[in-house]
Amino acid sequence: MTDEALHRAHELAAAWLEELRERPVRAAGDPAGLRGPLPERGEEPAAVLDALAAAAEPGLVASAGPRYFGFVTGGALPAALGADWLTSAWDQNAGLHAMSPAAATAESTVLAWCKELLGLPQTAGGGIVTGAQMANVTALAAARHAVLARAGWDVEARGLAGAPALRVIVSDESHATVFNALRLLGLGRDTPVRIPTDEQGRMRADALVAELAGATLPTIVCAQAGNVNTGAFDPLEQIVAACRAHGAWCHIDGAFGLWAAAAPTRAQLAAGASGADSWAVDAHKWLNVPYDSALAFVADRAPLNAAMALTAAYLTTAGERERNGADWSPEASRRARAFPLYAALRQLGRSGVAELVERTCTLAAHIADRLAAEPGVTVLNDVVLNQALVRFEDDDAATDAVIARVQEEGTCWLGGTRWHGVAAMRISVSGWQTTEADADRSADAIAAAWRAVATG
Ligand SMILES: Cc1ncc(COP(=O)(O)O)c(C=O)c1O
């Protein structure tokens, strides 16, 4: 029975991957077949898969394909996708070494490899989580532990009621998930001090220094490597130095941007990042590991372990060379996400990661240049990474209309945003399959949509 189901899954997956490149990128419609009552009787596994695939089909988006430029979205590298299947077949619980020495060892290995690629200290502790949202939670939990411990307070044991006040500093451009992380950690979504940013969305280091100068409270600073709109990096060298000088914890949200450190032509953008105290980075975005996959790193392993460690009489403790994943991330039982990560990193190698980052940055600039050559089109940002912001006729309605038209036409998909108060099209090139031909085809489709909107 299992064999038949897996063969059917393979056929269905192969058919999907076969047409991924050419099907309209947007969803075709409403996956109405997925609604319905709970069946009374069970069904044959292979028939269930057929029914699921048929019902899901209209609601599937070709977001793993080569011309999806929405949000910041990677595809699934073949080795990572295959390893993801094996992860389900093996069905390992990565929470404890005793439950899967293979998952635990793969975790240690991929954490070490990623630290090397990202230029982070090899001594840093790390955890594998679902996304940069949870990586921010994980790293900031370690930050919360450390700054309150320095103030003589054990936040894990005593909670926040009655704790010494602490101060969180973010920027006007910090990602929404940083605020969610602060909210989940009891630090408050609306309480952080917001440092103003420059025209590219970079935190102004001078304003941070001025803010820190008056600091007496335990302080956590949240910096960013890769603005979700412009791709710009906060001035990390200056921010890290300011944090050092004032005893503040420096966290870097590098959901996609931190991978720039792995690419020689872009690494300069991330200069200084290695001196921070903690980092959040996704693998399901630019590294093209299938959802879900991200990493949290903390330079000093102790606060991470203090914030996350899981203890109970029946649980086994890890030996000296062993790793209990549950001691380094918020979840206990969980999927062995290290296997697809391991496979992605082996498929690419160090040079492949660099090539992926460099190619996608080049293609983002290529699309931006092609569009900038069209009358009435303005590129709003310096395209330093894989993100471009485009505006049409300096008009919100025209820009929104072009975005809607491109989405409907289906050659490619990209979303909208607001940048400095005006509407903009957001182009993010993050997929491993995207070629120059895809970039040109997409630029043609966007230009055609623009001409159609302009001529009414
Ligand atoms: C800078 C930044 N931080 C955090 C996130 C959240 O990542 P995820 O959706 O993987 O949790 C994103 C997503 O785009 C991001 O760009």
Side-chain angles (χ1 to χ4, degrees), residues 15-312:
W16 164 257
L17 293 174
E18 174 76 30
E19 62 174 54
L20 187 60
R21 176 162 267 289
E22 290 309 324
R23 66 183 271 138
V25 180
R26 57 166 163 70
D30 179 28
L34 288 174
R35 300 191 189 94
L38 172 68
E40 190 54 44
R41 290 172 186 280
E43 298 166 66
E44 283 302 311
V48 171
L49 295 179
D50 281 336
L52 169 64
E57 162 72 22
L60 294 177
V61 175
S63 49
R67 292 183 305 285
Y68 188 85
F69 306 121
F71 309 97
V72 184
T73 307
L77 287 159
L81 175 56
D84 205 54
W85 287 9
L86 287 176
T87 303
S88 291
W90 291 336
D91 195 20
Q92 304 288 284
N93 184 338
L96 298 177
H97 182 275
M99 292 196 70
S100 180
T105 306
E107 269 201 15
S108 300
T109 301
V110 298
L111 288 165
W113 287 355
C114 289
K115 283 183 271 189
E116 196 176 325
L117 282 169
L118 298 170
L120 307 182
Q122 269 306 323
T123 47
I128 300 184
V129 291
T130 48
Q133 168 68 88
M134 281 316 290
N136 280 327
V137 168
T138 305
L140 289 171
R144 182 183 68 166
H145 169 91
V147 298
L148 286 177
R150 275 180 227 144
W153 187 265
D154 179 349
V155 70
E156 278 70 38
R158 303 175 73 182
L160 281 172
L166 64 80
R167 193 167 60 143
V168 180
I169 300 179
V170 299
S171 88
D172 275 341
E173 282 290 329
S174 288
H175 193 265
T177 54
V178 169
F179 297 96
N180 264 8
L182 295 171
R183 188 185 70 187
L184 288 167
L185 292 167
L187 299 176
R189 185 195 56 205
D190 297 338
T191 52
V193 177
R194 287 173 179 252
I195 303 295
T197 51
D198 67 12
E199 77 295 342
Q200 296 297 320
R202 294 173 289 226
M203 184 191 284
R204 280 187 32 214
D206 57 335
L208 174 67
V209 168
E211 183 63 41
L212 284 171
T216 47
L217 298 176
T219 302
I220 299 168
V221 174
C222 301
Q224 183 165 255
N227 180 291
V228 77
N229 283 311
T230 63
F233 282 58
D234 287 349
L236 299 174
E237 246 161 2
Q238 290 162 271
I239 290 173
V240 166
C243 289
R244 286 279 155 277
H246 293 91
W249 179 284
C250 183
H251 170 66
I252 297 178
D253 174 6
F256 63 100
L258 207 54
W259 291 106
T265 60
R266 309 283 157 170
Q268 186 52 32
L269 291 165
S274 60
D277 295 292
S278 60
W279 307 264
V281 62
D282 262 316
H284 57 216
K285 290 189 168 70
W286 226 352
L287 194 60
N288 282 260
V289 174
Y291 291 102
D292 43 32
S293 187
L295 305 123
F297 292 105
V298 179
D300 177 0
R301 314 165 78 87
L304 176 61
N305 190 241
M308 297 293 143
L310 181 71
T311 45

Side-chain angles (χ1 to χ4, degrees), residues 400-440:
D400 289 341
V402 178
I403 293 167
R405 207 171 179 107
V406 172
Q407 289 178 353
E408 181 50 35
E409 191 270 333
T411 298
C412 59
W413 200 97
L414 26 74
T417 188
R418 297 200 62 89
W419 182 244
H420 294 330
V422 299
M425 171 187 277
R426 248 185 100 246
I427 301 171
S428 171
V429 187
S430 311
W432 69 280
Q433 298 197 68
T434 309
T435 62
E436 191 170 332
D438 291 308
D440 279 327

Side-chain angles (χ1 to χ4, degrees), residues 358-368 429 434-437 439:
E358 278 160 9
R359 170 166 43 92
T360 44
C361 289
T362 303
L363 293 178
H366 180 66
I367 299 175
V429 187
T434 309
T435 62
E436 191 170 332

